[in-house]
Amino acid sequence: MTSFQLEIQLVAVIVAGACALPGCFLVLRNMAMMSDAISHAILPGLVLAFFVTESLSSPLLLAGGAAVGVGTVALVELLRRTHLVREDAAIGLAFPAFFSVGVILIARYAGDVHLDTDAVLLGELALVPFDRWIAFGYDLGPQALYSMSMVGVLSALFVFLFYKELKLATFDAALAATLGFMPMLMHYALMALVSVTAVAAFDAVGSILVVALMVGPPAAAHLLTDRLDRMILIAIVLGIASAVSGYWFAHALDVSIAGSMAVAVGVAFLVAFLFAPARGLVAAHRRRAHQRWQFALKMLTIHLAQHEHRPDAFEECHVDHLQDHLRWDSGFAGEVVRQARQAGLVNLESSQLVLTAAGRHLAREAIVRD
Amino acid sequence: MEQLFTDYTLRTVALGAALLGAVSGALGTFAVLRRQSLLGDAISHAALPGIGLAFLVTGSKLPLVLMVGAALAGWLATALVIVITGASRVKYDSALGLVLSVFFGAGLVILTAIQKMPNAQQAGLEAFLFGQAAALVERDLATMSALGGVALLVAALLWKEFKVLAFDEDFGRSLGLPMRPLDFILTTLLVIAIVTGLQTVGVVLMSAMIVAPAAAARQWTNRLGRMVLIAMGFGIISGVAGAVISTSTARLPTGPTIVLCISGVVVVSILFAPGRGLIVRAIRHQLRSTRFQREAILMDLYQLALQHHRRDHPHAEAALQAMQPGGGKLRSQLKTLAAQGLVRQAGKQQWALTSKGIAACAQLHRDRS
């Protein structure tokens, strides 16, 4: 691994972590598409700030992008308040317009400078190590490393300092307002954070990967835990894992790094979606199957308990007649009996099913409780 | 303007943009009404890997082949969103954002892979990112109009069913209409509408062409039929306008120009549409509140007059002022009332009801009680 490769991965890891932090709150507040809107809408702010400073690494770019990002959020809110368009339509109206302004500004005035639309949308992580920070003759490493770290620390600090306010505003905005925590202020602070992160990340990874990293890891983490603090940690870990594995995938196939990372995020989500311990598809399927057998066992014990010591017991409790009485097909009935015997619920005495004490107990429990 | 009919490129671009505007305006109307505005964004981004894969598999750059690939990918993305939201607790917006960005990422991977291929003639595929209207040729137009025409035709044939689907799904189900298949067909039409526009405005901005014409049209009418027609009209106008402006100006990309044109239409609609527009609403509010204030002054005068034998007994302006806290425009309101013949000035700063005014007050009194 060369130092360039290490630097690229380091930047990618920091981007992933910095995106996952505000991303968790976006996902929980059902505002995931805001990341898409903001990451597109910041373009004109960036371009204008770039025209003023003629540098891509000026802090003014952060400020300009963040201002336009928050402006977009405010515009969406304003449009929604008129009740003339719904919120989703308002988002769909606002960001393409801003993005178009940015694209046109670039096409008309930026000429062939480094700032081009492909870069904004797609990012070029491979170029990160070439834009270095050199102070007093010392090479201090890629600039993106510093800007991203700064934003990452800012995110972490914000989430750490306002953890309970954010939590309350996210899960119960009404209570937060009643207690004087100003959920609206939290909302805009969060949006500003999303904007700043998107601006800092756009150069390295492009706006689309920002969306992938803000939405994917938190959504996957949400399937893995019910606790906010764990969700944030898991999201960060998943984001970092996607970033690194995406990098090596891109390296192996010589394709777009940002694209590969997005695909890796998709794979991470897919794995969580399928195999999450409690909420995954597989776990849900297994739980349903288990419940089906449990129900069948209860049915069997209840059936036997109903007819035990009755005149019709010989007929009803005959192992070969179960399919008629409980309307099970014979294969299923056989399997239920096998499981019931294995669990010590019934004994088989010359083709007659006889409840054990445990079986009788289960039947009584089932009738009383269900 | 004359160039529009003589210049081949301009004519092709304008026709393509008009086609795009018409189809996306019509199908976008249903998407916006069904709160699927952002689904269009997801579908258009998700089309990218489909375009790349279609080229990889067939080696062809025929518009129809690429569009079919795009449509399949867009449709798969929609299906995934439905599966994810249905089978887990991931919300609709998260599923959209996830599918959108992952598909787009996969598209980038495929496009860069194609670029690295030795004999790659991939030029033209990247046009799908931001659209390249200037590169449209007649073959593209033929494909676009065939696909778009089919989409519009199906929408017209299933008009009643789609109307029910858009406004009251449960009612449709109670009528025994097959709502799931209908939903499937309408979503497929939306995918087709998006795919036909990709070459002109690109995957990033295509969602605007779905949302904006419909959102603008919504301000002008409350009827679905009219809304569809108006949205198509807005789509066509801004498509052609954007195409003409960008083609006749140097370094002005077509897609963003079309999007800005349609955004302008949205702003005008939201501000000026009669009935719903913000300005009309503000004026109506203003007129209503001045009328209420005027009626209040008249009633105050009536209340004062009731204390006297003569109903037209004059009263001091200061008394009226005291009864109207915050009523700053008392004098001008009184003058308006005088012009209407409801009050008359009876001496310096003294006002009295006329007989017409007394009748009006009695009427107001009856109306309010």
Side-chain angles (χ1 to χ4, degrees), chain B residues 135-306:
Chain B
L136 284 179
V137 292
E138 253 168 27
R139 196 178 56 181
D140 302 317
L141 281 192
T143 314
M144 284 170 71
S145 41
L147 281 176
V150 169
L152 287 182
L153 188 70
V154 174
L157 287 177
L158 292 174
W159 176 257
K160 240 185 345 208
E161 285 79 1
F162 286 162
K163 196 176 192 175
V164 174
L165 183 65
F167 289 110
D168 198 340
E169 226 180 305
D170 293 332
F171 176 63
R173 207 166 287 126
S174 77
L175 289 178
L177 287 174
M179 294 321 266
R180 262 172 175 278
L182 282 173
D183 192 352
F184 173 81
I185 297 172
L186 189 53
T187 308
T188 310
L189 296 188
L190 180 66
V191 172
I192 292 176
I194 289 170
V195 167
T196 53
L198 288 183
Q199 242 175 321
T200 316
V201 294
V203 299
V204 184
L205 294 174
M206 188 53 214
S207 67
M209 293 309 294
I210 293 295
V211 181
R218 177 68 191 87
Q219 313 311 324
W220 298 83
T221 177
N222 284 326
R223 299 189 61 86
L224 181 65
R226 283 180 206 156
M227 184 174 162
V228 168
L229 290 179
I230 296 173
M232 288 172 75
F234 283 161
I236 293 172
I237 291 171
S238 36
V240 173
V244 170
I245 295 172
S246 74
T247 316
S248 52
T249 315
R251 289 192 297 169
L252 196 60
T254 314
T257 313
I258 295 178
V259 169
L260 283 190
C261 285
I262 190 64
S263 302
V265 173
V266 172
V267 171
V268 169
S269 301
I270 284 180
L271 288 180
F272 299 107
R276 280 166 68 99
L278 288 184
I279 290 185
V280 174
R281 230 160 51 174
I283 291 173
R284 208 185 301 138
H285 179 80
Q286 188 57 41
L287 285 180
R288 203 181 293 140
S289 72
T290 18
R291 194 176 52 119
F292 277 148
Q293 202 198 6
R294 225 167 25 236
E295 283 178 8
I297 293 170
L298 206 60
M299 288 307 275
D300 286 345
L301 211 50
Y302 188 62
Q303 289 297 328
L304 290 173
L306 285 178

Side-chain angles (χ1 to χ4, degrees), chain A residues 49-62:
Chain A
F50 177 73
F51 285 163
V52 173
T53 62
E54 301 198 328
S55 142
L56 266 179
S57 47
S58 154
L60 198 63
L61 250 70
L62 277 183

Side-chain angles (χ1 to χ4, degrees), chain A residues 5-20 125 145 148-149 152 205 209 213 235-245 247 261:
Chain A
Q5 289 178 330
L6 191 69
E7 281 171 2
I8 292 174
Q9 287 178 70
L10 206 54
V11 171
V13 161
I14 297 173
V15 171
C19 287
L125 208 49
L145 197 59
M148 255 349 279
S149 305
V205 299
L209 186 57
L213 287 174
I236 292 174
V237 171
L238 283 179
I240 290 174
S242 314
V244 173
S245 54
Y247 173 77
M261 286 183 183

Side-chain angles (χ1 to χ4, degrees), chain A residues 30 32 36 108 222 225-226, chain B residues 41 89 93 112 219 250 276:
Chain A
N30 300 341
D36 185 41
R108 285 197 69 76
H222 194 202
T225 178
D226 285 335
Chain B
D41 195 31
R89 65 164 161 186
D93 61 308
T112 41
Q219 313 311 324
R276 280 166 68 99

Side-chain angles (χ1 to χ4, degrees), chain A residues 30-32 36 82 84 86 88 100 108 118 121-122 208 212 215-216 222 225-226 254-256 259-260 269 279, chain B residues 35 37 41 89 91 93-94 98 101-102 104-105 108-109 112 116 130 204 208 212 219 250-251 259 276 281:
Chain A
N30 300 341
M31 288 171 28
D36 185 41
T82 64
L84 293 179
R86 296 214 186 90
D88 61 329
S100 298
R108 285 197 69 76
D118 279 21
L121 209 59
L122 320 177
I208 300 296
V215 180
H222 194 202
T225 178
D226 285 335
D254 191 17
V255 291
S256 153
S260 306
F269 178 82
R279 300 179 184 279
Chain B
R35 304 181 186 219
S37 298
D41 195 31
R89 65 164 161 186
K91 294 287 184 341
D93 61 308
S94 296
L98 182 78
S101 54
V102 172
F104 191 83
L108 284 187
V109 168
T112 41
K116 302 273 160 62
F130 292 105
V204 184
Q219 313 311 324
R251 289 192 297 169
V259 169
R276 280 166 68 99
R281 230 160 51 174

